[in-house]
Amino acid sequence: MQKSIEVEYWVIDRDGELTEPGALAELSDNTEREFVECLFELKTPPCETMSELERTFVGQLSETLERARELGKGLVPLGTPVNGGRIEQLAGERADIQTAVVGESFSYAKYCAGTHVHFEQGNVVDQLNALIALDPALALCNSSPYFQGERIADGARAYLYRKKSYEEYPKHGQLWAYADTVAQWNRRLDRRFEEFRAAAADEGIDEAAVEEHFTRDDVVWTPVRLRSTFPTVEWRSPDATLPSQILRLVEDLERVMDHLHDATVRVGSDADDEVGTSDGELVLPEFETVRDLADAAMVDGLESDAVCAYLERMGFDVDSYQPLSGEIDDSEFVDESAACELRREYADRLEQDVEGLRRTLEAEAE
């Protein structure tokens, strides 16, 4: 099964201040700017195996970090910038339309950096439902509890997206219920597109402008998306974090995706103690249970016993993860000066993590 990774990083200067990626975004076809001025995205091409994905991802990161050092910049693997002052959105009609439709609450999205994992489409309904059920696995990679210096949740990025940015448009930005068929999923997308187009019209935005900048594929920002490009099922739940953590997570996710080839997927009940993986089945919790677990994953992370127990039953080795949110700081408030220091510290951690992965790969190749 082909798979790929997209990850967003905050760009800083030598003082830890947020800055534009500049030439970093032009390094290759797999690097680009995001929709805010200080965010950078790295994408891997589709890879057949985990070993190929690991080599590709680490190689791209090594090249990117080398160029960043030449430019006097660093990359920060945190879900939010901790406390970055005001972050500006890049000028563009698409972003203007989003802001007009969603409202000022859309500005919360400017403080979010995430990881997106793409899996080649196979048994699409089972893939969609499995990834919906695995949304609480975001707790494994929570990497910042802070927004504008205030501690708000173990996973501040997920909290900002779901509870703030799309509070008024929950069907566009929050987790969707399980799907019965691909046609049903597509009908949901059609309805969301029509709702967005109608809301844009209410704001005086021309229909042609909406159709120029948005499609049914990308008019929603839900944690699980069906993409026609590649084509893939995309899982967008986790924060940006250290690449070793991302690769571990993708490997665990792939194990579940591979299990779908031979397993029967069904939804159990809250009382069903068989929820989890077995030789011939993948039993999912009821959607309301998943949603409650996802909320606990956002707010409490791996401090939630219920989340940890559930992820273990779904096949994750929870003890092998060390989410950065659990170590980043224990203060209730981090001022901008301290946030600069934290960003510099975790930019260094990213370099160390990539170097460790690179050396391991070299040793395995010998």
Side-chain angles (χ1 to χ4, degrees):
M1 179 188 303
Q2 289 192 322
K3 62 204 72 69
S4 63
I5 295 170
E6 301 172 2
V7 60
E8 299 159 343
Y9 296 110
W10 304 105
V11 185
I12 57 169
D13 61 20
R14 289 189 174 93
D15 296 323
E17 297 282 358
L18 296 169
T19 189
E20 295 186 4
L24 280 180
E26 302 165 4
L27 191 59
S28 74
D29 291 339
N30 296 310
T31 57
E32 61 184 38
R33 303 183 72 172
E34 262 294 334
F35 77 104
V36 296
E37 60 184 10
C38 51
L39 204 56
F40 162 86
E41 184 174 55
L42 176 70
K43 304 178 180 182
T44 72
C47 297
E48 290 283 352
T49 65
M50 274 305 303
S51 59
E52 180 189 356
L53 181 63
E54 184 174 16
R55 289 193 304 273
T56 301
F57 189 37
V58 173
Q60 288 178 324
L61 282 166
S62 296
E63 181 182 8
T64 301
L65 291 172
E66 181 179 356
R67 181 62 174 138
R69 286 191 293 271
E70 293 172 356
L71 296 170
K73 300 177 188 290
L75 300 181
V76 183
L78 300 178
T80 74
V82 180
N83 189 347
R86 182 176 175 83
I87 291 178
E88 296 298 333
Q89 187 170 295
L90 295 178
E93 190 172 15
R94 177 183 166 89
D96 291 342
I97 294 171
Q98 284 175 299
T99 301
V101 171
V102 180
E104 284 304 310
S105 62
F106 182 68
S107 64
Y108 287 106
K110 297 188 297 186
Y111 299 85
C112 299
T115 298
H116 305 162
V117 185
H118 291 259
F119 290 102
E120 181 182 5
Q121 290 181 17
N123 188 337
V124 175
V125 172
D126 286 348
Q127 288 176 309
L128 285 170
N129 291 341
L131 290 175
I132 289 167
L134 292 177
D135 189 54
L138 66 89
L140 299 169
C141 289
N142 284 345
S143 59
S144 174
Y146 294 105
F147 169 63
Q148 294 299 66
E150 294 187 8
R151 179 180 288 272
I152 62 169
D154 194 74
R157 166 191 166 268
Y159 186 89
L160 290 173
Y161 251 121
R162 303 184 194 193
K163 304 298 185 182
K164 295 295 186 180
S165 286
Y166 293 98
E167 185 177 12
E168 301 299 322
Y169 281 84
K171 293 179 180 179
H172 283 78
Q174 298 180 15
L175 192 66
W176 285 2
Y178 299 132
D180 295 324
T181 64
V182 174
Q184 180 195 53
W185 188 272
N186 286 334
R187 285 194 297 272
R188 293 177 185 175
L189 287 171
D190 287 337
R191 287 195 292 270
R192 302 295 83 79
F193 187 77
E194 290 306 317
E195 289 166 359
F196 189 86
R197 184 159 53 186
D202 289 343
E203 297 296 327
I205 298 168
D206 185 69
E207 183 176 321
V210 174
E211 294 184 349
E212 178 183 355
H213 294 285
F214 296 89
T215 67
R216 188 181 68 180
D217 264 9
D218 62 16
V219 77
V220 296
W221 294 268
T222 50
V224 180
R225 298 207 300 193
L226 195 58
R227 307 302 297 267
S228 58
T229 304
F230 182 16
T232 67
V233 182
E234 181 186 14
W235 194 67
R236 303 160 55 86
S237 301
D239 286 356
T241 190
L242 296 173
S244 59
Q245 298 278 348
I246 292 172
L247 288 166
R248 180 175 289 111
L249 181 63
V250 175
E251 188 169 13
D252 281 342
L253 287 170
E254 185 188 42
R255 193 174 298 114
V256 177
M257 292 293 100
D258 282 342
H259 188 55
L260 300 179
H261 294 307
D262 304 312
T264 299
V265 180
R266 65 179 177 88
V267 179
S269 67
D270 286 341
D272 190 347
D273 60 5
E274 294 178 348
V275 166
T277 59
S278 64
D279 287 344
E281 279 192 322
L282 175 62
V283 183
L284 311 179
E286 292 182 347
F287 176 69
E288 292 74 16
T289 301
V290 172
R291 191 165 51 192
D292 290 344
L293 286 167
D295 282 347
M298 281 187 286
V299 175
D300 301 318
L302 297 185
E303 292 296 312
S304 167
D305 292 339
V307 169
C308 292
Y310 171 65
L311 294 178
E312 291 282 356
R313 294 180 71 173
M314 295 299 282
F316 292 83
D317 180 7
V318 173
D319 290 339
S320 69
Y321 290 85
Q322 295 82 39
L324 299 183
S325 276
E327 65 175 53
I328 186 171
D329 199 283
D330 59 2
S331 304
E332 288 301 313
F333 183 80
V334 177
D335 65 24
E336 291 191 39
S337 176
C340 285
E341 290 302 313
L342 280 171
R343 289 195 292 267
R344 290 174 60 190
E345 175 186 346
Y346 281 91
D348 289 343
R349 284 282 300 278
L350 176 64
E351 294 214 27
Q352 294 162 11
D353 195 69
V354 171
E355 179 62 16
L357 288 168
R358 188 186 64 79
R359 290 181 178 179
T360 298
L361 289 172
E362 286 181 351
E364 291 174 349
E366 291 179 355

